[in-house]
Amino acid sequence: MIRKLTILGASLLPLFPQMSAAQDQPPPPEARSETTPAAADPAAMSASAVGSARTGAQHRFTGADLFDLAVAADPQISPDGSHIAYVRRANDIMSDRAVSSIWLIDTRTGEEVPIAGEHAAAFSPRWSPDGKRLAFASTDGGSAQLWVRWMAGGEAVRLTGLPTSPSSIAWSPDGRSIAYTMLVKDEGPKLGSAPANKPEGAKWAEPLEIRDLLTYRADGEGYIEPGFEKIFVVPATGGAPRQLTFGPYHDGGPLSWSRDGSTLYFGANRKPDWENDPVEGEIYALDVAGGQVTRLTDRNGPDGNPVVSPDGSKIAYLGFDDAGRAYENTNLYVMNRDGSNRRSLTENWDYSADAILWDSDGGGIYTQYDDHGETKVARVGLDGSVRDVAKGLSGGGLDRPYSGGSFSVSDGDAIAFTGGTPTRPAEVQIARGGNARMLTDLNRSLREVKALGEVRKITAPSSHDGRTIEGWLTLPPGYTARQRVPLILEIHGGPFSAYGPHFATDNQLYAAAGYAVLSSNPRGSTSYGEAFANEIDKAYPGDDYFDLMSIVDRAVELGVADPDALFVTGGSGGGVLTSWIVGKTTRFKAAVTQKPVINWTTQALTADGPAFFGRYWLGAMPWEKPELYWVRSPLSLVGNVETPTLVVVGAEDYRTPVSEAEQYYTALRLRGVPTALVKVPGAGHGSIAARPSQSAAKASAILAWFEKYRKGWTRPAAD
């Protein structure tokens, strides 16, 4: 199974292409509910429903407004293109969580009806090949299970009673079976035992916890239960599931059926040393009847996401050659169904392919990709030709303006996707023949009342080498030209990710408080080509500092930023750079470093990707080049810091562990620099802004810190 480990950001996700250190995107609520089902009633109550005693409407965006937000995700268009089933995520003020339900849209009229999620979370809708049924997962009744709804009659039936949650749902071509993956639990290691003579009624301590996995805990998941992800198949009308794969390795999705239904294709690392090689992966063919597994690819690098062509003769897939670099573009490949005649379709296309689907005639493949911070869908022909078919995708997260989104394609090549604007969260859209139409308006009542900050693109040449650096300024509502306002430099995580012109609650909350917010893409950001991303390979943080300072200078030059009122914050990789910046300059009045890496040695050995960080990010283990680890650690610069710096971290962060934030806080205290440590209870790295109340409180704490040091701080004279 190919995994993209967003190292300084979200959890260990089965995505492409490699570990992104500091991305700050929370995992989708429905994904979390697969392992931790929400007990609350999913009928979300908004903040507006509670009412207010104010004498007039509040036109500024506030923390309470987070409870009123809803976003669209995972739009699945029916084979005939007549309907789209999508996941609607709405924040519930009573449970303080996002609630997921499935809605159905008529693509001709735009009429919407709810079809799943009345009593519990519902997610992952997938159409049957004939479009007459819809499979989905739901926590109705307790844990997540597989359900099927007959669309004509509206009846939904639970197919499974599984001990762990199903994922990677895939219908067989004849509609008779559904394949899925599921964690099969295993016994953990045992060493000795407690005494056997426990008296009746005695209350002894809990048994010893014994771990033997290299990665024994994962952000958003906690301590990993022993077991392996395996492939199953279940009759689509109900019956006993059948396990198809076995062995001590993870067999992951997505899954793709051969056209005759005899074979399932999947990606996995089935090598004995899979724990020590987090990037490796191959494509496998699984004989559904006999269980035989055949490897189809064999290179050093991750191959995964297999998708069978309409005529069944070819397989499209994603991958790259593992060169040991921190970042590689993911390429789109095609091969014959037996693994022969492998070739890249995007070798000379300097973008990273993601989320692939064949077009209806088998002459090309649709792929999602990022271009200068914006997400698009392109059709890549078998001849290597590329043309865009949809743009404006969004859905990378709510709190920060990350690129992202998702799409699906009908048999007639209509494209359903999630897309919004800088002032509008992700909606469901449909594109036909290059013309897109928005089908939902999930936040109309909020948009009609709230004055949101305008978002403008700016660019600047880097003082380091003249490279063009892009950024987006979110301005305070009602901003007038040449009005100088305080500026917050807000730095993205990853570091291999990108900001763009997308809606972000943090930015709008900061703007509502009177700040301009600068979201920039320094070197190391994705969507600008492989070379630009690898400018920080084995050199992070580094020259990206000059890029950020240069675009701040541009905001000052444009007459927007007050040069005497500059502030800086960022999460994960953005926290790394925030801590690096205050060690390099005193031009910012105050700073907030969120879930940072402070000491690469301790992070590399305590985070949830120990096989990745040293090898790919620094090129050595801590004991091999301790001086390299130290010179790239913000802790090495703490002796220079004179900027009041707040430190924020999730209390259950396993990507940039809590000890990283605590080290920095303690070091700042010892140096006499104003600081405070804020822990977000129950939050992991990728879920630090997942609960609306905590997201609002965190933004409020940041603004309060900046306000406290609006005029800066001067170290008192020594006695």
Side-chain angles (χ1 to χ4, degrees), residues 117-474:
E118 179 183 358
H119 303 293
F123 46 94
S124 298
R126 295 296 181 268
W127 291 96
S128 63
D130 61 7
K132 295 181 179 180
R133 289 167 291 170
L134 188 75
F136 61 94
S138 174
T139 59
D140 193 354
S143 61
Q145 300 294 334
L146 186 60
W147 291 65
V148 169
R149 176 187 174 98
W150 275 255
M151 302 307 292
E155 294 295 325
V157 175
R158 192 179 81 174
L159 291 191
T160 60
L162 307 176
T164 57
S165 303
S167 59
S168 303
I169 299 168
W171 285 86
S172 64
D174 62 7
R176 298 182 62 192
S177 302
I178 300 174
Y180 61 92
T181 62
M182 184 187 76
L183 176 69
V184 176
K185 295 182 180 180
D186 194 10
E187 283 195 359
K190 296 184 181 299
L191 291 172
S193 63
N197 57 339
K198 180 181 178 181
E200 183 177 352
K203 295 182 179 180
W204 286 13
E206 293 294 317
L208 302 180
E209 292 185 11
I210 303 174
R211 313 284 176 185
D212 66 351
L213 293 171
L214 176 59
T215 300
Y216 59 92
R217 58 185 185 179
D219 191 71
E221 184 178 347
Y223 285 84
I224 297 173
E225 287 190 87
F228 297 94
E229 189 175 3
K230 293 298 167 189
I231 300 172
F232 291 76
V233 67
V234 64
T237 54
R242 179 164 62 96
Q243 185 173 342
L244 300 181
T245 61
F246 302 85
Y249 22 70
H250 295 283
D251 299 324
L255 306 174
S256 187
W257 289 82
S258 65
R259 293 307 164 202
D260 62 5
S262 66
T263 306
L264 274 166
Y265 299 95
F266 66 97
N269 182 351
R270 295 183 131 230
K271 295 181 178 179
D273 67 342
W274 62 269
E275 284 193 89
N276 295 293
D277 196 349
V279 173
E280 180 60 23
E282 308 292 356
I283 305 292
Y284 290 89
L286 166 65
D287 183 279
V288 175
Q292 180 181 357
V293 176
T294 304
R295 191 179 67 193
L296 300 183
T297 59
D298 57 3
R299 67 161 162 193
N300 179 30
D303 291 323
N305 293 64
V307 184
V308 177
S309 64
D311 66 3
S313 66
K314 298 179 179 65
I315 299 173
Y317 63 101
L318 297 173
F320 58 82
D321 292 318
D322 182 6
R325 298 192 298 180
Y327 177 82
E328 303 288 345
N329 276 345
T330 300
N331 286 315
L332 169 59
Y333 295 84
V334 68
M335 63 182 173
N336 295 338
R337 63 186 175 191
D338 62 359
S340 63
N341 193 27
R342 303 172 206 148
R343 57 192 178 96
S344 172
L345 301 182
T346 57
E347 188 172 355
N348 299 316
W349 189 54
D350 199 13
Y351 296 101
S352 193
D354 189 17
I356 54 175
L357 293 169
W358 284 88
D359 67 6
S360 58
D361 63 8
I365 298 135
Y366 295 107
T367 184
Q368 183 172 315
Y369 75 102
D370 288 347
D371 178 14
H372 288 68
E374 300 189 49
T375 305
K376 304 175 181 179
V377 177
R379 179 191 180 275
V380 180
L382 295 183
D383 60 359
S385 61
V386 180
R387 63 178 174 86
D388 289 340
V389 294
K391 60 182 180 179
L393 276 72
S394 63
L398 262 180
D399 60 325
R400 311 286 179 88
Y402 282 109
S403 59
S406 58
F407 78 101
S408 62
V409 183
S410 73
D411 290 345
D413 292 319
I415 300 170
F417 64 95
T418 55
T421 72
T423 56
R424 188 169 182 175
E427 306 276 5
V428 177
Q429 300 191 42
I430 186 169
R432 286 190 173 99
N435 298 315
R437 180 164 53 98
M438 196 170 286
L439 298 177
T440 59
D441 193 357
L442 301 181
N443 298 286
R444 179 172 59 88
S445 59
L446 197 67
R447 291 192 302 105
E448 289 176 345
V449 174
K450 297 294 177 176
L452 297 175
E454 177 192 351
V455 177
R456 298 178 185 175
K457 183 177 181 178
I458 67 171
T459 62
S462 173
S463 63
H464 177 66
D465 56 10
R467 287 179 182 269
T468 298
I469 305 302
E470 293 184 341
W472 286 266
L473 273 172
T474 303

